[in-house]
Amino acid sequence: KYNMEKENLSVVLHSQGDLRLEQRPIPEPGPNEVLLQMHSVGICGSDVHFWQNGRIGDYVVKKPMVLGHEASGRVVKVGSAVKNLKEGDRVAVEPGVPREIDEFFKSGKYNLSPTIFFCATPPDDGNLCRFYKHSANFCYKLPDNVTYEEGALIEPLSVAIHACRRAGVTLGSSVLICGAGPIGLVCLLVAKAMGASQVVITDLSADRLVMAKELGAEFPLTVKREDGPEELAKRVEGLLGAQPHITIECTGVESSVQTAIYATRPGGVVVLVGLGAAMTTVPLLNAALREVDIRGVFRYCNTKTYLPMSQPNRNWSLFPKYPFIAGKIYRYL
């Protein structure tokens, strides 16, 4: 008989295509750590990519690795030096924890530290398991009105918060979002929350664009694979009446990146969120001559202060109509 209080069932990736359910020892938290009984863990595209391909860029699965990094759980044991949490607290997990106080940590860009621990990125284990230990400083208490499922989705929401901050979205910004998948949709929600006045969002899927419209996009734009980047850029301009201040590219597809550059107004910003080929052909001279800034995004950092959890009287909840793999899509209200 399965005893979830004593056994630590874990989802372990051994190599490309070799995914197993295994029992692992329940870890003991260190002085500054907490032991969590996991409740909700989303399945990210990166988890699927590691499973199917055994690698993402330079990150290669060389030894068995527990998957999962979009997570929430309950504190069941605290380390001797932990002051901010206690047994029974419900928490969301920030999966990236700096290992050292280097120049990136000191400048507030700890996500760029080359030695950072990150759940389910080789060689670091993730938290798609029954019990998991984590730095107490990177676990955040959930208010009573926030469910575990919502807590797990704070991680992908953080990607959007960081992307919109990098883009400089502010009151009155016009924004183009390329791709209406889960990350494109949370970028839409965050852009509107940060004051974007008009948002065009593109996708091949009409169903995804239906949801984008419900979530606040003024102009859902269905695209076809054969559409040319410059043609699409003109269609975006026609919808807005002017080129957007900001484009957030969430697909990684070469033609979509090209569209993002052509579409953005002179002096604007293109943020690259989607991961595509290592070498991508883009109209760089076009961007340079029009002073279009191209900015990258690597995960996120310091997003806690931007989350609505710090505003207990604000009404925000899940929008439960559509599945987000193992979770749901957020809605800001």
Side-chain angles (χ1 to χ4, degrees), residues 94 104 107-113 116 118 154-169 183 186-191 194 246-250 269-273 295-307 332:
E94 181 174 357
F104 301 100
S107 64
K109 299 179 179 180
Y110 56 86
N111 59 312
L112 300 181
S113 174
I116 194 171
F118 198 91
I154 289 172
E155 196 276 343
L157 181 66
S158 290
V159 174
I161 292 170
H162 189 57
C164 287
R165 285 193 308 182
R166 291 277 291 156
V169 177
I183 295 301
V186 289
C187 284
L188 164 63
L189 295 173
V190 173
M194 288 184 175
I246 291 160
T247 299
I248 302 174
E249 208 297 308
C250 298
V269 177
V270 173
V271 171
L272 303 178
V273 181
R295 300 177 185 173
V297 165
F298 187 62
R299 299 169 180 160
Y300 42 79
C301 61
N302 302 310
T303 57
K304 177 178 181 289
T305 56
Y306 283 79
L307 294 175
Y332 245 108

Side-chain angles (χ1 to χ4, degrees), residues 2 6 14 34 60 78-79 94 125 195 232 241 258 295 303:
Y2 179 70
K6 294 184 179 180
H14 282 251
V34 291
V60 182
V78 298
E94 181 174 357
D125 283 326
L232 281 174
Q258 294 168 355
R295 300 177 185 173
T303 57

Side-chain angles (χ1 to χ4, degrees), residues 2-3 20 65 111 142 153 211 215 244 274 289 298 304 315 322:
Y2 179 70
N3 186 343
R20 309 179 194 178
M65 177 184 76
N111 59 312
L142 296 174
L153 289 175
M211 181 163 189
L215 294 178
L289 293 178
F298 187 62
K304 177 178 181 289
N315 178 22
Y322 299 84

Side-chain angles (χ1 to χ4, degrees), residues 3 25-26 80 84 120 136-137 168 176 183 197 212 216 228 241 249 262 300 307 317 326:
N3 186 343
I26 297 176
S80 59
N84 60 314
N137 286 325
L176 166 63
I183 295 301
S197 60
E249 208 297 308
Y262 285 130
Y300 42 79
L307 294 175
S317 64

Side-chain angles (χ1 to χ4, degrees), residues 38-48 67-72 120 127-128 148-149 151-156 324-328:
M38 304 311 297
H39 185 284
S40 297
V41 182
I43 306 299
C44 180
S46 66
D47 293 314
V48 176
L67 291 178
H69 61 264
E70 304 174 0
S72 65
N127 45 37
L128 190 48
Y148 280 113
E149 290 81 6
L153 289 175
I154 289 172
E155 196 276 343
F324 168 43
I325 312 174
K328 299 284 193 290

Side-chain angles (χ1 to χ4, degrees), residues 87-279:
E87 288 184 24
D89 282 344
R90 301 161 59 255
V91 299
V93 176
E94 181 174 357
V97 181
R99 284 189 167 98
E100 57 182 307
I101 303 177
D102 57 14
E103 61 180 297
F104 301 100
F105 183 100
K106 291 176 181 178
S107 64
K109 299 179 179 180
Y110 56 86
N111 59 312
L112 300 181
S113 174
T115 62
I116 194 171
F117 168 91
F118 198 91
C119 294
T121 297
D124 301 328
D125 283 326
N127 45 37
L128 190 48
C129 50
R130 292 291 185 186
F131 294 94
Y132 168 76
K133 70 175 182 178
H134 199 70
S135 168
N137 286 325
F138 287 78
C139 293
Y140 305 101
K141 288 179 65 173
L142 296 174
D144 292 340
N145 65 321
V146 178
T147 67
Y148 280 113
E149 290 81 6
E150 290 170 328
L153 289 175
I154 289 172
E155 196 276 343
L157 181 66
S158 290
V159 174
I161 292 170
H162 189 57
C164 287
R165 285 193 308 182
R166 291 277 291 156
V169 177
T170 189
L171 190 65
S173 297
S174 57
V175 180
L176 166 63
I177 298 174
C178 300
I183 295 301
L185 292 177
V186 289
C187 284
L188 164 63
L189 295 173
V190 173
K192 297 297 288 187
M194 288 184 175
S197 60
Q198 291 185 306
V199 177
V200 178
I201 188 165
T202 66
D203 206 278
L204 295 167
S205 168
D207 289 341
R208 286 181 170 185
L209 292 175
V210 168
M211 181 163 189
K213 180 71 172 178
E214 292 184 28
L215 294 178
E218 282 76 20
F219 303 107
L221 177 58
T222 304
V223 300
K224 299 178 180 178
R225 296 187 187 279
E226 60 267 25
D227 289 341
E230 290 180 276
E231 173 196 348
L232 281 174
K234 287 294 183 183
R235 289 169 64 188
V236 170
E237 183 178 3
L239 289 171
L240 289 172
Q243 292 176 301
H245 300 101
I246 291 160
T247 299
I248 302 174
E249 208 297 308
C250 298
T251 73
V253 175
E254 182 176 270
S255 61
S256 185
V257 177
Q258 294 168 355
T259 298
I261 292 173
Y262 285 130
T264 306
R265 73 175 56 186
V269 177
V270 173
V271 171
L272 303 178
V273 181
L275 298 177
M279 298 297 290

